[in-house]
Amino acid sequence: MRAYGEVLRVPGLARIILAQLIARLPAGMYSLGILMHMEHQHGSYTAAGLVLAAFSVGMAAAGPFVSRLMSRFGTVTVLVVTTVVSVSALSSIASLSLPLWADVAAGLVAGAAMPPIVPTVRTLYPRMVPQRLLSPLFSFDAALQEIIWVFGPVLLTLLVSALGTGPTMLVTIAIQAGGAALFIVSPEVRRLRIPPTSRKLGRVLRKPPVLLAVAVSAMFIGGFSAVEAGVIATFGEGALEAGLVLAVSAIGSLIGGFAVGSRGIGPWSVAIRLTIVLAGMALALPMTEVIGLSAALFIAGLGTAPALAAFSAIIAGTVKFADTPEAYAWIGTGQLLGAALGSAVAGIAIDAVGGVGAVWVAVVMVALAALLAAVFRRHQPDLRHGIGDPPDTAPVELPR
C-alpha cells in the first residue's frame, strides 16, 4: 500500500483523479438512463434501443478521431467543445418531445461528442508521476472504475424512483458537465500539450502491442457484458439479488487492483490475470443461487482491474506520447464493440437455454482473450522494471 500513498501524495494528482471520476460517473448511468427515458417517451423498448445504439455507435466510431484533435487544437479546446455539444444533444433528449428519428440523431451526436476524458487523463498520468509509480497508478485508476459501473446504475435507479426519467437524465447531464468543468480547469490539464502526430488515423493500430490490447480487451469486456446479462436473466430484471452479485464482483475487482497494483507488467501478466477471470467465470457455470454466483464472480473480479491496468501500462510503455490519446481511444472503441457483441450473443443464448447460456458465452470470450494474450505474449512489452520515460512532449507552460 506504500506505493498508493506515494501516488496520492503527488501534487495535484488526487484532484485530477477525483475530477475525472466525477466526469466519468455518467458513463455508468447513460445506457440505463437513455433506455428508460426513451421507452417512457416512445412507448417501445425497440425505439429506446435504437437511440441507445446510436449513442454507442457514435462513441465507438468517433472516439479515436476526437482524441487526435487534441494535438491539433489543444486539449482544453477539444474538451470544452465536446462537452458543450454532448451536453446540448443529451439535454434535447432529456427535455424535449422529439420524433424518434430526431432522438436517434441526437443520440448519435451525443455519443460522438463525448469528451475524451479517459484518453486525456491516461496521457496525463505519465507527465505527473515518476515512472516507477505508473503501474500502481494505472491499477488504482482501474480499480476506481468499479465505482462508475456499480454505483452509477444504482444512483440512476434511485433518482428515477424519486424524480422520474426526464429529471434524472438532466441530473446525470449536470454531473457530467460539472465533472468535466472541474477536470478542464485543473492546472495540470490546462498545461498539457500534446505534440502533433505525423501518423494517419489508425496507423497506431499497426503496432502489435496496441492491436493486441484492443483485441484482447474487446473480448474481455464482451465476456463481462455477457455474464452481467446472464446474472440479470437468472434473477430477473430489477432483482436485488442481481445487483448484489455484480457488486460483489466489483468488490473483488477493487481488491485485486489494490493487491497487485505495485507489481510490474511482464509478457505473461495479461494472460495470467485473464486466467483468474476465466477461472471465476467457469466456477459460475453451475451456480444459480446468490452465494455461489457471488463467490465465483468475486474470484473473476480479482483479475478484472489488474487486467485493465495492464492494458493502460502497455500503451504507456510502447506508444509515443503524441499517439497515446488515439491508442487509448481505440481501446475504448474495442471495449464498446466487445460489450455490444457480448450482450447480443448472450441475449441469443439466454433465449435458448437461460442465464447459464450467457455465462457460457462469457467463458468462451474470456478464454479467447486469455489465449490471444498467451499466444502473442512476445508482442507485449516487459515492464517489470518500470515503464520507460515517454518521449518528450511539446513545451509545457509553467504558472508564473
Side-chain angles (χ1 to χ4, degrees):
M1 298 299 289
R2 182 183 302 173
Y4 297 117
E6 287 188 67
V7 165
L8 293 176
R9 285 195 295 271
V10 173
L13 186 58
R15 182 182 64 252
I16 288 290
I17 291 173
L18 177 61
Q20 62 95 19
L21 190 62
I22 296 172
R24 291 166 59 192
L25 179 61
M29 304 170 70
Y30 275 137
S31 293
L32 187 58
I34 290 173
L35 189 69
M36 295 171 71
H37 184 60
M38 287 294 94
E39 191 279 331
H40 179 74
Q41 288 290 98
H42 297 286
S44 164
Y45 276 107
T46 299
L50 286 173
V51 178
L52 181 56
F55 179 73
S56 299
V57 168
M59 283 197 293
F65 173 75
V66 171
S67 296
R68 280 175 63 97
L69 295 178
M70 290 192 291
S71 64
R72 181 174 180 181
F73 297 106
T75 306
V76 171
T77 300
V78 171
L79 288 172
V80 169
V81 171
T82 52
T83 299
V84 170
V85 173
S86 64
V87 163
S88 300
L90 287 164
S91 296
S92 70
I93 291 175
S95 58
L96 301 177
S97 296
L98 301 173
L100 178 58
W101 68 265
D103 278 329
V104 170
L108 185 65
V109 171
M114 286 298 285
I117 300 293
V118 173
T120 301
V121 76
R122 290 181 182 167
T123 299
L124 181 62
Y125 283 158
R127 315 309 299 175
M128 295 187 67
V129 303
Q131 301 306 305
R132 63 185 177 81
L133 294 179
L134 268 181
S135 288
L137 176 54
F138 283 134
S139 291
F140 186 72
D141 181 80
L144 289 179
Q145 283 188 144
E146 299 302 335
I147 295 174
I148 297 170
W149 302 112
V150 175
F151 295 106
V154 173
L155 175 60
L156 182 117
T157 303
L158 292 174
L159 288 172
V160 167
S161 65
L163 303 175
T165 58
T168 295
M169 280 290 292
L170 292 175
V171 171
T172 305
I173 293 165
I175 293 172
Q176 177 192 337
L182 187 62
F183 183 71
I184 291 167
V185 301
S186 299
E188 295 80 7
V189 176
R190 290 189 287 109
R191 292 197 300 265
L192 180 63
R193 300 292 184 268
I194 301 172
T197 177
S198 58
R199 294 175 179 266
K200 294 181 179 179
L201 179 65
R203 286 289 294 274
V204 71
L205 290 174
R206 293 188 178 184
K207 293 182 71 69
V210 177
L211 183 59
L212 185 62
V214 171
V216 171
S217 64
M219 299 301 292
F220 167 52
I221 295 299
F224 253 97
S225 295
V227 85
E228 287 174 2
V231 169
I232 292 170
T234 298
F235 296 106
E237 187 174 340
L240 177 61
E241 293 89 343
L244 288 174
V245 170
L246 295 177
V248 170
S249 176
I251 292 171
S253 181
L254 280 168
I255 293 172
F258 289 127
V260 304
S262 59
R263 295 180 179 272
I265 308 296
W268 280 100
S269 294
V270 175
I272 291 171
R273 296 173 187 198
L274 289 178
T275 300
I276 295 171
V277 177
L278 178 61
M281 289 186 174
L283 289 172
L285 283 169
M287 304 295 180
T288 57
E289 78 288 349
V290 172
I291 294 177
L293 272 174
S294 295
L297 294 185
F298 176 84
I299 294 171
L302 290 173
T304 303
L308 292 171
F311 299 137
S312 296
I314 287 170
I315 298 300
T318 60
V319 178
K320 291 183 178 180
F321 184 70
D323 295 320
T324 52
E326 183 187 345
Y328 285 123
W330 279 115
I331 286 183
T333 292
Q335 290 175 351
L336 284 167
L337 295 176
L341 176 64
S343 298
V345 179
I348 296 171
I350 289 168
D351 288 339
V353 296
V356 68
V359 182
W360 270 112
V361 172
V363 168
V364 171
M365 294 188 76
V366 175
L368 287 173
L371 182 62
L372 281 173
V375 170
F376 295 102
R377 63 188 180 277
R378 296 180 185 275
H379 294 296
Q380 300 171 58
D382 189 345
L383 305 174
R384 286 173 292 183
H385 302 293
I387 299 174
D389 290 332
D392 292 336
T393 183
V396 176
E397 296 178 6
L398 298 176
R400 297 181 182 276

